[in-house]
Amino acid sequence: MKVLLAEDENDLREVVAAYLELQGYYVVSVANGAEAVKELDRDAYDAVVMDIMMPVMDGVTAMRKIRASGHTTPAIFLTAKSEVADRVEGLDAGADDYLTKPFAMEELSARLRALYRRKRDYKTRLFSFGNLELDTEASELRAHNTIALALKEARLLSCLLSTAGQEWPADTLLSEVWPGEDVSSDLVQMYISFLNAKLASVRANAVIEKSAANGYRILEVSDV
Amino acid sequence: MSIYENYYDTMNSVMHTLVRAVEENSRRHESACGAKLFEHLRFRIKDEASMREKLARNGKQANAYHALRAVTDSIGLRIVCLFIDDVYENAALLRNLPGCTVVKEKDYIQNAKPNGYRSYHMILDVETDAPDVDGNTPGHYFVEVQLRTIAMDTWAALEHEMKYKKTIANPELIVSELRRCANELAACDVSMQTLRNIIRDS
């Protein structure tokens, strides 16, 4: 795992870098926000650890630039200030987490691991369940046959498959698949019908069931 | 003399009997439910040249006996429907037609071919009052029926064009994109069938 460390205090930077390297991370250190922005444009990183108060360019400004140029690299802020307003500003600028100085090295390492785990989970491309496989990148559903899925169908199915067997309330599915859109739960039911028809057409051993509480879950069924 | 010798007229009448049955069934369905059961119905007796070519390819002598016994698609029907369920309704009709026995059935809709081909195939043995090539009366004739949706038909037409064109730049890319198209067309067929069910049930 490759980490970019941006910290202007030499001592702290060296200690953090040494500790992370000991933990098996590959660390590149820079001394201000402007260098961090340049470095992220130059190379790909798994995570960014960045101080807020830095000369030349502060961490919040750097974070905004990094996100504006499309980088989704997980980022943790290190902040000497413990005021709520600074933490809010940092998180809103695009950071995923923060640590208040002084902090424990083990905690920084654990938070990096947690971020990395989430990043990997978000990127899940293939879901398997019984004889079926959902490829979210190709938007394809495969079992005995293969069929294309609409974008919303693929998202809906990936929700149900991410916690297979567990029930999803219709409202939760609405906000996951149609965020910010003014749509009714009838739409969820219609897309569930599309998905069930497609599951049958590829002869998947699975069906999406509706509960009395207006929730949905995917279940394995014997060969149809 | 025709490769089908004296049997051509009987073949023609067998073919038209089936065509009439499919058409009448669709008309009945239309007056009951307001929608016909197929969009296009094509039929043909395999032309002389193709039959001779096929017999030669299979190492058979060019005569009526082999044309009517070794080859099962001397008489062919293609029923093209708007919706997937209509394909199965037409297949059910043929299966239950008096004097009609299913020799072989292959559901390439539920078992799409690896290249993406989807269709429902039936080989029927149809009984007729006239004699057949074995000298039996009533006689028996093979009929091959292909049933599919318009989307599947369009796909098959394009795949056919590709297969018979010898010089194609980048054939692997075309084949894989054709497969993707087949999966997208199948998605549309299934979604439209689902919508029709929802509309009809509401």
Side-chain angles (χ1 to χ4, degrees):
Chain A
M1 186 168 167
K2 200 167 162 188
V3 177
L4 177 65
L5 173 65
E7 168 63 64
D8 62 319
E9 290 169 45
N10 290 337
D11 290 352
L12 184 59
R13 187 175 66 236
E14 276 162 28
V15 172
V16 172
Y19 178 80
L20 291 178
E21 275 164 6
L22 201 67
Q23 296 284 306
Y25 295 98
Y26 175 76
V27 183
V28 172
S29 302
V30 294
N32 64 56
E35 285 176 30
V37 171
K38 211 160 69 186
E39 187 55 32
L40 270 172
D41 277 333
R42 198 190 59 79
D43 204 355
Y45 286 85
D46 296 305
V48 182
V49 178
M50 187 150 62
D51 190 19
I52 285 195
M53 296 281 281
M54 289 187 290
V56 186
M57 186 189 288
D58 66 274
V60 173
T61 309
M63 196 68 238
R64 286 204 187 97
K65 282 190 185 295
I66 288 163
R67 293 297 183 235
S69 56
H71 296 296
T72 56
T73 320
I76 300 181
F77 268 131
L78 303 177
T79 165
K81 303 190 272 183
S82 58
E83 276 112 60
V84 172
D86 289 314
R87 301 202 293 265
V88 169
E89 201 188 3
L91 290 170
D92 282 346
D96 301 279
D97 202 356
Y98 71 92
L99 275 173
T100 309
K101 293 177 189 172
F103 54 87
M105 291 292 177
E106 305 93 280
E107 189 177 357
L108 174 61
S109 181
R111 283 179 190 262
L112 280 173
R113 284 196 297 275
L115 274 188
Y116 189 57
R117 214 159 43 226
R118 282 184 71 78
K119 181 191 167 198
R120 226 181 26 212
D121 290 348
Y122 281 139
K123 285 201 162 165
T124 302
R125 200 175 78 95
L126 283 174
F127 291 91
S128 302
F129 184 71
N131 71 336
L132 87 84
E133 198 174 69
L134 165 67
D135 183 333
T136 55
E137 199 166 283
S139 241
E140 271 183 359
L141 180 62
R142 305 177 190 130
H144 184 73
N145 299 314
T146 302
I147 200 164
L149 293 182
L151 189 65
K152 299 289 191 194
E153 290 172 338
R155 278 207 199 141
L156 186 56
L157 187 57
S158 65
C159 283
L160 295 168
L161 288 175
S162 65
T163 58
Q166 193 187 308
E167 192 171 308
W168 284 70
D171 288 344
T172 313
L173 288 172
L174 260 185
S175 56
E176 286 285 331
V177 181
W178 291 271
E181 289 178 53
D182 184 24
V183 289
S184 83
S185 65
D186 287 351
L187 194 65
V188 179
Q189 179 53 47
M190 178 171 287
Y191 272 74
I192 296 290
S193 301
F194 286 150
L195 280 176
N196 270 333
K198 287 183 174 178
L199 287 168
S201 101
V202 296
R203 295 172 67 191
N205 300 335
V207 69
I208 303 165
E209 216 182 50
K210 187 180 185 177
S211 75
N214 204 23
Y216 297 93
R217 63 187 177 134
I218 189 159
L219 294 173
E220 223 175 320
V221 291
S222 51
D223 206 350
V224 273
Chain B
M1 177 141 134
S2 156
I3 182 126
Y4 300 116
E5 296 166 24
N6 301 324
Y7 301 99
Y8 191 88
D9 289 346
T10 309
M11 291 168 72
N12 217 6
S13 110
V14 164
M15 180 169 74
H16 280 98
T17 305
L18 281 184
V19 166
R20 267 196 306 278
V22 174
E23 283 174 342
E24 275 165 25
N25 184 53
S26 175
R27 266 196 295 276
R28 270 198 306 276
H29 195 272
E30 192 172 2
S31 40
C33 313
K36 44 189 181 173
L37 270 183
F38 67 85
E39 197 58 22
H40 312 291
L41 174 52
R42 299 199 285 269
F43 46 89
R44 60 101 181 96
I45 287 175
K46 201 177 190 73
D47 70 59
E48 190 85 20
S50 316
M51 180 54 86
R52 285 182 187 280
E53 188 274 325
K54 189 162 187 171
L55 286 170
R57 188 153 30 96
N58 296 338
K60 302 284 183 195
Q61 272 184 302
N63 57 37
Y65 180 79
H66 286 123
L68 294 174
R69 286 294 175 257
V71 174
T72 53
D73 72 340
S74 59
I75 305 171
L77 260 69
R78 184 172 293 152
I79 308 174
V80 181
C81 308
L82 290 177
F83 294 93
I84 298 172
D85 283 4
D86 299 348
V87 166
Y88 289 102
E89 279 216 36
N90 280 298
L93 165 85
L94 294 170
R95 207 175 295 124
N96 298 319
L97 223 50
C100 206
T101 317
V102 177
V103 178
K104 206 170 149 194
E105 233 169 332
K106 196 94 196 180
D107 186 346
Y108 292 114
I109 298 175
Q110 287 214 50
N111 309 281
K113 287 190 181 179
N115 65 356
Y117 179 82
R118 286 169 167 89
S119 266
Y120 197 95
H121 288 194
M122 298 173 101
I123 295 172
L124 307 174
D125 177 323
V126 181
E127 196 179 87
T128 169
D129 292 340
D132 65 23
V133 76
D134 290 313
N136 294 322
T137 311
H140 289 260
Y141 286 77
F142 288 126
V143 179
E144 195 174 296
V145 186
Q146 295 181 353
L147 305 104
R148 50 172 82 138
T149 64
I150 291 182
M152 295 171 195
D153 200 42
T154 310
W155 187 92
L158 188 55
E159 202 263 348
H160 185 84
E161 260 192 46
M162 186 202 63
K163 221 160 52 188
Y164 285 88
K165 176 132 184 185
K166 300 280 179 257
T167 51
I168 300 178
N170 216 340
E172 295 83 9
L173 181 66
I174 304 259
V175 164
S176 94
E177 287 302 298
L178 260 178
R179 193 183 304 120
R180 187 183 56 76
C181 279
N183 294 336
E184 288 187 0
L185 291 171
C188 275
D189 270 344
V190 169
S191 296
M192 298 217 288
Q193 179 68 57
T194 309
L195 280 175
R196 190 174 80 166
N197 295 347
I198 291 173
I199 291 167
R200 287 193 174 175
D201 289 347
S202 59

